[in-house]
Amino acid sequence: MSDVILSVKNLSVEYRVEEGIVKAVNDVSFDVKYGETLGLVGETGAGKTTIALAIMGLLPVPPAIVTQGAISFEGENLLRKNEKYMRSIRGNKISMIFQDPMSALNPSTYVGEQISEVIMLHNKVSKAKAREMAEETLEMVGIPRNRYDEYPHKFSGGMRQRVIIATALACNPNLLIADEPTTALDVTIQAQILELMEQLKEKKGTSNILITHDLGVIARMCNRVAVIYAGEIVEIGTLRQVFKNTAHPYTKGLFDALPGSNLSGGKRLKPIGGSMPDPISLPEHCKFASRCSRRTDKCEQCVKLTDIGDGHLVRCVSPLCGGEV
C-alpha cells in the first residue's frame, strides 16, 4: 500500500481575464505522505493558494482553468471527478482552513450551527447528535460548549480562527490544508493556534499542507518544504535539506531577508531586489533570473527541477549546493 495520501503531478492553472492569460501555477508536482506536514512557502502572488483551491476543487471557473496535470487523493484523480463527488469529500476527507476567519464564517448564523451543518452533511446523524458532536469539537479547540449559540462577531480573531479549525476538523479529515492560519493574529495567539494544530495532528494523525510566508512557522510545523516562486516549485526537500543546505538563490534570499531570527546568523538583512515577473508574460527561462545575483548566461535556458541528492530538488543551473544558512 502506498504511503502517499496526495500526489500532485504537473499541475498548471491559468486565469483567463481581459488583460490576458495569467499563468498562476506552472507544472507543479509534489507528494504528501500519511501523517506528514508539507509546507508551501513563498511571497504573496506566488500561486500557493491557487494550488490549494485546485486540490479542493474550489477554483473559480471561469476565469480559472486547469490546463494540465493530475491531483490524486487516496488513489483517485480529483480532476476527473464531478462536483457531487467533490462535495462528498470536501469537509469530510479533505478540509481547508481559510485565510480570513471572519469572511469564512456566516455572520448571521451561530458558530455551533455552522459546525453542525458540516457534520450533518457528511454523517447520518440527528440534529441533536450533530449539536453534541459540534460542542465536543468546540471544546477540542479550547472553546466552551456554551458558546455554541453565539454569532461570529462575539469572538476575537484568535477564537474565530479556532472555530474555523473546529469546522475543518468536525468530520475527522484525512488531509487538512491550512492557508496562512496565523495571518493577522498577534504573536501570543499565533503560538496558541500552532500548538493546537500540533496537538490535533498527534491525536488524529492527519496529513497537512501548511501554506505560509513565515519561515518560522515552517520550521516549527513541517516535515518537508516546497518553495514556490512565480507559480513554480524552485526547491523542495526535507526541512533540514531546505533550511541547512539551501540550494536555490531565491530560498537563500528569503532567509537573508528574515528579521529577528538565528536563521539569518545575526547578519545585516539583505532584501531581494526587484519583484516577481508579470504572470501574464512570464519568461521561458528561469523566472528568478532578473532578481538573482548569481545570474549567468546559462540562466537564459529552460530550467527543470533537478535532484541534487536524497530527494532534494532544485530548479537552478548553478545551485548553491550545501552552503549553510
Side-chain angles (χ1 to χ4, degrees), residues 28-205:
V28 164
S29 298
F30 61 84
D31 293 335
V32 180
K33 297 179 180 179
Y34 283 93
E36 176 182 62
T37 297
L38 172 71
L40 300 184
V41 63
E43 57 194 293
T44 300
K48 306 183 299 297
T49 297
T50 296
I51 293 171
L53 293 177
I55 295 169
M56 295 292 294
L58 291 174
L59 286 171
V61 180
I65 182 170
V66 176
T67 58
Q68 71 168 21
I71 300 173
S72 297
F73 175 72
E74 295 185 336
E76 298 284 344
N77 187 355
L78 300 183
L79 295 182
R80 295 181 179 176
K81 300 300 182 180
N82 58 29
E83 179 58 21
K84 181 179 179 181
Y85 178 87
M86 291 304 298
R87 282 199 301 265
S88 72
I89 68 166
R90 193 187 298 133
N92 184 20
K93 289 190 174 183
I94 307 176
S95 287
M96 185 168 176
I97 300 171
F98 292 92
Q99 193 170 136
D100 182 357
M102 200 59 201
S103 63
L105 292 169
N106 185 338
S108 62
T109 304
Y110 295 144
V111 295
E113 287 185 357
Q114 296 184 55
I115 301 172
S116 293
E117 183 180 357
V118 173
I119 294 171
M120 293 182 69
L121 182 64
H122 297 291
N123 298 276
K124 294 180 180 180
V125 296
S126 66
K127 191 172 182 178
K129 180 62 176 177
R131 177 175 181 129
E132 180 185 342
M133 294 171 66
E135 289 175 346
E136 290 174 354
T137 306
L138 283 172
E139 289 196 329
M140 182 175 66
V141 299
I143 299 175
R145 62 172 59 214
N146 61 10
R147 301 200 68 180
Y148 178 101
D149 295 309
E150 291 187 18
Y151 292 106
H153 72 270
K154 295 281 190 177
F155 292 77
S156 66
M159 294 295 274
R160 286 197 296 267
Q161 192 65 289
R162 287 172 182 264
V163 173
I164 292 295
I165 293 173
T167 306
L169 294 172
C171 294
N172 296 317
N174 297 333
L175 175 66
L176 178 65
I177 302 173
D179 187 3
E180 301 279 6
T182 59
T183 295
L185 300 178
D186 64 56
V187 176
T188 302
I189 302 301
Q190 282 185 26
Q192 293 175 0
I193 294 297
L194 294 177
E195 184 178 358
L196 171 63
M197 291 179 64
E198 287 179 319
Q199 292 172 353
L200 293 173
K201 179 185 174 181
E202 291 178 4
K203 290 179 181 178
K204 303 289 186 179

Side-chain angles (χ1 to χ4, degrees), residues 14-18 20-22 62-65 67:
E14 296 177 351
Y15 291 94
R16 299 184 176 179
V17 296
E18 289 185 6
I21 298 176
V22 177
I65 182 170
T67 58

Side-chain angles (χ1 to χ4, degrees), residues 148-306:
Y148 178 101
D149 295 309
E150 291 187 18
Y151 292 106
H153 72 270
K154 295 281 190 177
F155 292 77
S156 66
M159 294 295 274
R160 286 197 296 267
Q161 192 65 289
R162 287 172 182 264
V163 173
I164 292 295
I165 293 173
T167 306
L169 294 172
C171 294
N172 296 317
N174 297 333
L175 175 66
L176 178 65
I177 302 173
D179 187 3
E180 301 279 6
T182 59
T183 295
L185 300 178
D186 64 56
V187 176
T188 302
I189 302 301
Q190 282 185 26
Q192 293 175 0
I193 294 297
L194 294 177
E195 184 178 358
L196 171 63
M197 291 179 64
E198 287 179 319
Q199 292 172 353
L200 293 173
K201 179 185 174 181
E202 291 178 4
K203 290 179 181 178
K204 303 289 186 179
T206 306
S207 304
N208 299 291
I209 295 176
L210 178 59
I211 298 171
T212 183
H213 61 273
D214 190 329
L215 290 167
V217 172
I218 291 288
R220 173 173 176 173
M221 302 291 291
C222 297
N223 307 106
R224 297 174 64 245
V225 187
V227 182
I228 314 290
Y229 183 79
E232 294 181 334
I233 291 179
V234 296
E235 185 167 1
I236 185 169
T238 65
L239 185 67
R240 181 171 184 82
Q241 286 171 339
V242 174
F243 275 57
K244 292 297 184 182
N245 294 288
T246 307
H248 197 279
Y250 175 65
T251 313
K252 181 64 163 59
L254 291 179
F255 286 124
D256 285 342
L258 186 67
S261 170
N262 290 330
L263 295 175
S264 59
K267 301 175 184 176
R268 188 178 182 85
L269 300 182
K270 298 178 183 178
I272 302 172
S275 58
M276 279 195 299
D278 185 348
I280 293 180
S281 56
L282 290 174
E284 293 296 328
H285 55 76
C286 173
K287 309 297 186 290
F288 186 64
S290 64
R291 306 173 71 184
C292 184
S293 61
R294 296 168 55 85
R295 180 177 178 175
T296 68
D297 291 341
K298 292 181 180 180
C299 300
E300 296 297 328
Q301 64 192 32
C302 182
V303 186
K304 296 183 178 181
L305 275 175
T306 303

